[in-house]
Amino acid sequence: MTELGLSPVTGRDELDRTIRWVVTTDLLDPGRYLSGGELVLTGLVWRQSPEDSERFVRSLVNAGVSALGAGDTRWGEIPGDLVEACRRHRMPLFHVPQEMSFAEVTEHIVRRLSAARAYDMTAVLDRHRRLVAGATAGAGLDPLLHLLGHDLGMPCWVLTPAGRVVAGSHPLPEGMASLLARGFLTAKRMPCALRGIERSEAGRYSVFPVDEQTTPRVADWFLAVQGAFEDWPEERRALAGELAAVVALERARLDDRLSPKGRIAQELVELVVSDGKPSDILPRLQVTGLTTDPAAGLDADGAGHGFVAVAAAAHGALRPGELRVVVKEILNRSCASPVVGVAGEEVIALIPAPESDITAEVREAVRALAPGLGTGRLTVGVSGIAPVDGLRGAVEEARYARRMAEGRAEPDAVVGHDELATHVLLLASVPDDVRHMFRVRLLDPLRGYDQVHRADLVRTLEAFLQVSGSWTKCAEILHVHVNTLRYRIQRIQDLTGRDLSRLEDRVDFFLALRLG
C-alpha cells in the first residue's frame, strides 16, 4: 500500500507477516489489550526515557503483534532507542509520515481487510447457495462451516432449538449447545448476542434465526457465531445473514414432508389411525425403515421388535406441520428417523421400541423447548410397546395419555403409559365409534333429563361410584338428605334400565363416565 507512505525502518526480512487488524495506542504496556496479528500505531506519548522503548516493544512481542508503525509530531524522527529495541526483538518497524494521520492509516487498512474477507466469504457462500438451490446432495453444511471457522476466522454452528448440532466448524464445549438453544428460545429479539455463557471473552456468541419470517423459533434452526455481533463491522454482519439464508435453503432441502419417504410415513400413520390391515401396514413400515423384520412382533417375554407410539398436540402455539417438525426433533435422541404424520390437530409418531426410558427422554426434550412456546402449550402422550397388530391400540393409548396431559397445569405436560390405569389401556384399544355408542347409551338419558329438569343425575352417579355405593358418604358429598339421594339413584336406574346394586352395571357406568 504505497499510497500510505509508510517506510520500513527495521525487520525487512519479516515483511511476510499477516496483518489481522490495526490498533492505535499510547500505553506503555498495551499487551493486555492485544490478541496477536495487529499493526500497532503509536505517537510515542508513552516514551518518557530511552528505557521505555525496551518495555514497550517487549510487550508487543509477547502479545504476538505483527508490526509497529510510529510517528512523533514533536521530533519528526523515530528515537534510536526504539529502533534498536525493534531490531533486537525482530519487530518490523514502519515510519508514519507527519502528513498521514493514524485515522487514515487505520481506515485504509481496515477497508482492505474487510473487502478481502467479504469477497472470499461471499464467493464461498454464493457458490454453496447455488449448489443447495440446485438440490445438489453434496456433503451438507460441514465443509462450508469448516472453511468459515478455520480459514476465515468465523467459528460458527447450526443447531436445532432442542440443542442438537446439525453442523459446525469446531466441536462445541460440553453443555454449550443446550445453553445456546435456551438463549435462542428466550431472546426477546433477533439477532441476539449471548453474554455471560462463559466467563471468558471467547464465551460470547451471537445467534441468528434461519427462517424467522415464516417459522416459529421452536420449529426453526438457528445459526450461532462466536463473538458479539454488535462489535462486528457491517460486512461481517451481512455475511452472517447470508450464511443464515444458505442454512435455510439446506433445511428446506432436507425437509422430508414432500419426499416419497415422507408421504409414505403420512400414509402409514393414516392407516394405523384408521385401523388399516397389517398387510397394508407392514410394507410401509419396511419402506420407512422403521423395521426390516416382516414378523415385527414381540417375543414371549414382551421384548423384541415392538413399537412405541407418541401423540402430541400444540395449543395456541404451532400449526400441525410445524408441530410435526418439533415432534421429529423431540424423538431424535431415541430414533434417527421416526415415522411422523399429521392426524387432524394431533401429530402421531411411531418409533422402534427403545432400550432407554422413552417417556423420560421426551419429557426432558419438551421441557427444553417449552421456553419457545410463549403462551402456548405442548402436550404429549407416550404408549407402551406393541407389535404390528397392536399399533392401533398403541396409538389410541398414546392419544388417551395426551388427553390426560392436557388436563394438567404445566405447559409442557407429558404422560407415559405407566401412568395410565389398566382400564384406560383397555379403552384405548376400543374403536372410536364403539366407545361413542357405549357412552351415548348409558349417559345420554341422564344428561337429557338433567338439561330439561335442571337435575343433577350425572354428578350424583359420579359421587355414588366414587364412594363405592355408600349412601351416607355420597349424601354428605352432595349435601343432600339420604332420601333425596335414594330418589335420584332410582331415577337413574329407571332411565337407563340398569341396577346400581349390581357390580356389572356399576362397572359399565364407571367406564362410560371415563369415556365422557
Side-chain angles (χ1 to χ4, degrees), residues 452-471:
V452 172
H453 298 280
R454 296 184 178 179
D456 213 1
L457 297 186
V458 173
R459 181 165 174 263
T460 299
L461 177 62
E462 288 178 323
F464 188 73
L465 296 176
Q466 180 182 343
V467 297
S468 302
S470 171
W471 296 96

Side-chain angles (χ1 to χ4, degrees), residues 212-227:
E212 186 178 30
Q213 299 301 318
T214 60
T215 306
R217 283 188 204 173
V218 74
D220 198 5
W221 285 0
F222 69 95
L223 173 67
V225 184
Q226 198 169 61

Side-chain angles (χ1 to χ4, degrees), residues 117 120-121 143 145-154 169-170:
R117 292 181 181 179
D120 290 343
M121 288 195 222
L145 300 187
H146 186 275
L147 176 62
L148 291 171
H150 290 268
D151 294 356
L152 302 176
M154 189 176 176
S169 59
H170 303 74

Side-chain angles (χ1 to χ4, degrees), residues 484-501:
T484 302
L485 175 61
R486 292 184 183 277
Y487 170 80
R488 291 183 182 181
I489 294 297
Q490 185 60 52
R491 177 60 62 186
I492 290 172
Q493 295 177 147
D494 292 342
L495 290 171
T496 61
R498 299 298 185 105
D499 184 356
L500 280 169
S501 65

